[in-house]
Amino acid sequence: MLDANNTIPLYLQMKELVKKDILDREYSSGEQLPTEPELCEKYGVSRITVRKAVEELCKEGFLVKKQGKGTFVRPKKIQRKIEHLMSFTQACQNNGMEPSTSVLKREFVQLEPRLAEEFHLRPRLPMIMIQRLRKADGIPVMLENNYYPREDFTFLMEESLDGSLYQLLEDKYHVMIESSRDSYLDVVKADAEQARVLELGCGEPLFCMTAKIFDSRDRLVHVGVEYIVCERYRFGLVDYYKTR
């Protein structure tokens, strides 16, 4: 409980209580915080005290304000080494999070000239485009756009793709993912559609990861363009030691 006679200001006392509630998961990752009046009633303080406590928690990275929506518990970030070829499912599991997937698009297309040039492939190459929304603990993290050569992967049009696609390819079709090439990481601003799907504000930063993925026979499996929410994902760099 808050103590008005304590030398520690009320807003700092409240900050510590809310922080404890977050760490104890009374407020879960990504959850919206109660409204100001509700917080005033719960902690028995004024709106000014609530605002100062929330501001401190935002500075410390426990909360995040979203314009027009409210204040939310900052989602836990998925962490992975940037050198590793790792599926989203595996990355979630390594971070103690529950992955889930929704298929948004699955269609026959011809590879756009822009992507063909970027990946050094033949323009208008017949492909299967699969777009999936990837979530961790129910929170949108990644919008995944993968292009598979139509000639080799037509079977994907009939498969359930709500789990690990790499695991499906390995277990059922004996396609062993082996390597990635021409991989790049950029930062872009979310357009209106990306913002809607990823539940962000338009213009918020996204990692954009592009790569070509090959199997153990050195066959192209897919080219990928992934849009990843920056505030929900963290890439680690490879440790480097100077040789003497």
Side-chain angles (χ1 to χ4, degrees):
M1 295 295 294
L2 301 184
D3 182 1
N5 297 317
N6 197 311
T7 56
I8 299 174
L10 284 175
Y11 78 92
L12 291 179
Q13 293 182 50
M14 179 183 168
K15 181 197 77 169
E16 292 303 319
L17 283 178
V18 175
K19 185 189 297 185
K20 183 178 184 301
D21 287 342
I22 293 171
L23 295 175
D24 290 344
R25 298 198 173 186
E26 182 173 334
Y27 300 124
S28 57
S29 177
E31 180 182 346
Q32 185 171 7
L33 216 61
T35 63
E36 276 190 5
E38 290 170 335
L39 289 172
C40 289
E41 182 177 350
K42 178 175 181 178
Y43 295 100
V45 294
S46 68
R47 285 198 174 202
I48 293 176
T49 298
V50 167
R51 288 171 188 169
K52 291 180 72 173
V54 167
E55 192 64 37
E56 289 295 315
L57 288 164
C58 287
K59 289 179 182 177
E60 293 184 14
F62 286 92
L63 299 177
V64 58
K65 291 182 178 179
K66 297 184 179 181
Q67 189 172 4
K69 293 185 177 180
T71 303
F72 295 77
V73 178
R74 186 179 291 276
K76 177 183 175 183
K77 289 190 176 186
I78 297 174
Q79 301 190 53
R80 57 166 281 202
K81 287 286 188 181
I82 206 165
E83 67 168 336
H84 295 161
L85 178 59
M86 184 183 297
S87 72
F88 180 82
T89 299
Q90 185 180 352
C92 284
Q93 292 170 346
N94 288 354
N95 284 269
M97 304 170 82
E98 183 67 30
S100 59
T101 302
S102 300
V103 179
L104 305 182
K105 293 180 183 177
R106 178 167 21 187
E107 56 194 14
F108 292 119
V109 299
Q110 292 182 330
L111 192 63
E112 303 169 24
R114 176 183 62 82
L115 290 176
E117 181 179 357
E118 182 172 348
F119 289 114
H120 311 293
L121 296 171
R122 177 166 55 86
R124 307 298 179 187
L125 189 67
M127 306 290 272
I128 296 171
M129 186 274 196
I130 297 173
Q131 183 183 74
R132 301 194 298 172
L133 175 63
R134 316 302 301 274
K135 295 182 179 182
D137 289 343
I139 298 172
V141 172
M142 177 190 298
L143 183 61
E144 174 188 276
N145 300 283
N146 286 336
Y147 298 80
Y148 296 80
R150 187 187 306 183
E151 182 179 357
D152 296 321
F153 294 94
T154 302
F155 58 82
L156 290 177
M157 295 298 288
E158 307 299 328
E159 288 287 354
S160 172
L161 303 177
D162 55 1
S164 172
L165 209 156
Y166 285 177
Q167 198 66 51
L168 169 71
L169 290 174
E170 182 175 333
D171 291 347
K172 189 170 181 179
Y173 297 98
H174 310 294
V175 177
M176 309 299 181
I177 303 300
E178 183 73 19
S179 63
S180 65
R181 301 174 202 165
D182 296 332
S183 301
Y184 295 96
L185 185 65
D186 298 293
V187 176
V188 300
K189 292 182 179 180
D191 63 25
E193 179 61 15
Q194 291 163 348
R196 182 188 68 80
V197 172
L198 292 167
E199 299 177 14
L200 298 171
C202 193
E204 289 195 33
L206 300 172
F207 291 119
C208 178
M209 177 175 279
T210 57
K212 286 195 294 190
I213 306 299
F214 293 83
D215 68 8
S216 56
R217 295 186 292 162
D218 206 35
R219 178 181 59 164
L220 177 66
V221 176
H222 71 82
V223 296
V225 183
E226 298 173 345
Y227 296 96
I228 305 166
V229 181
C230 289
E231 69 171 18
R232 301 169 193 167
Y233 214 97
R234 187 183 192 192
F235 289 99
L237 300 178
V238 181
D239 294 334
Y240 170 76
Y241 299 92
K242 184 178 180 180
T243 56
R244 299 183 182 277

